[in-house]
Amino acid sequence: QVQLVESGGGLVQAGGSLRLSCAASGRTLSSYDMGWFRQAPGKEREFVAAISRSGGSIYYAEFVKGRFTISRPNAKNTVYLQMDSLKPEDTAVYYCAASIAIATMVNRHESDYWGQGTQVTVSS
């Protein structure tokens, strides 16, 4: 069992940046492929980005390519999502996810474990 806790959300103006963090307790994140999802009010949850446990494979949704960067430094039990050039349509609750198979997140948009979410609001 792994517990995931997100942080770093907040209110930012369009064009600004935020860095989300996902810390784990219970088990080391090195055992999992990691991802980020988001859900805006009235919309379904959508895949944002994923990174393999080695860091060698990274996937992004088309709508964040070139703006968001997922990373997982080797020495830290933490996963990050650097969000630049934020747009009002990026406003959502962002969830960290951990899975034993990255395809579960990338192709099925599901995961084995979820964090509680952190709110990101981008004002125009």
Side-chain angles (χ1 to χ4, degrees):
Q1 188 81 11
V2 60
Q3 291 80 43
L4 304 173
V5 179
E6 303 95 335
S7 61
L11 173 64
V12 65
Q13 289 188 333
S17 298
L18 284 173
R19 188 176 79 158
L20 305 184
S21 301
C22 175
S25 62
R27 294 191 65 177
T28 176
L29 287 184
S30 63
S31 301
Y32 300 94
D33 298 319
M34 300 298 299
W36 289 93
F37 291 75
R38 70 186 188 186
Q39 187 167 20
K43 296 186 177 181
E44 293 187 353
R45 182 180 62 209
E46 58 184 359
F47 168 77
V48 175
I51 185 168
S52 62
R53 62 201 70 192
S54 70
S57 296
I58 293 176
Y59 302 88
Y60 294 103
E62 283 296 326
F63 54 79
V64 301
K65 280 185 178 179
R67 300 190 299 124
F68 291 11
T69 303
I70 189 171
S71 63
R72 58 186 308 171
N74 289 336
K76 297 186 178 183
N77 203 33
T78 304
V79 175
Y80 301 100
L81 184 69
Q82 177 68 39
M83 305 187 297
D84 299 318
S85 302
L86 283 162
K87 304 175 182 179
E89 51 263 45
D90 293 319
T91 295
V93 177
Y94 282 71
Y95 296 91
C96 178
S99 178
I100 60 173
I102 199 168
T104 298
M105 293 186 289
V106 176
N107 298 328
R108 294 171 51 193
H109 296 184
E110 295 290 341
S111 188
D112 298 305
Y113 301 101
W114 298 93
Q116 84 288 350
T118 185
Q119 177 70 47
V120 171
T121 303
V122 184
S123 63
S124 58

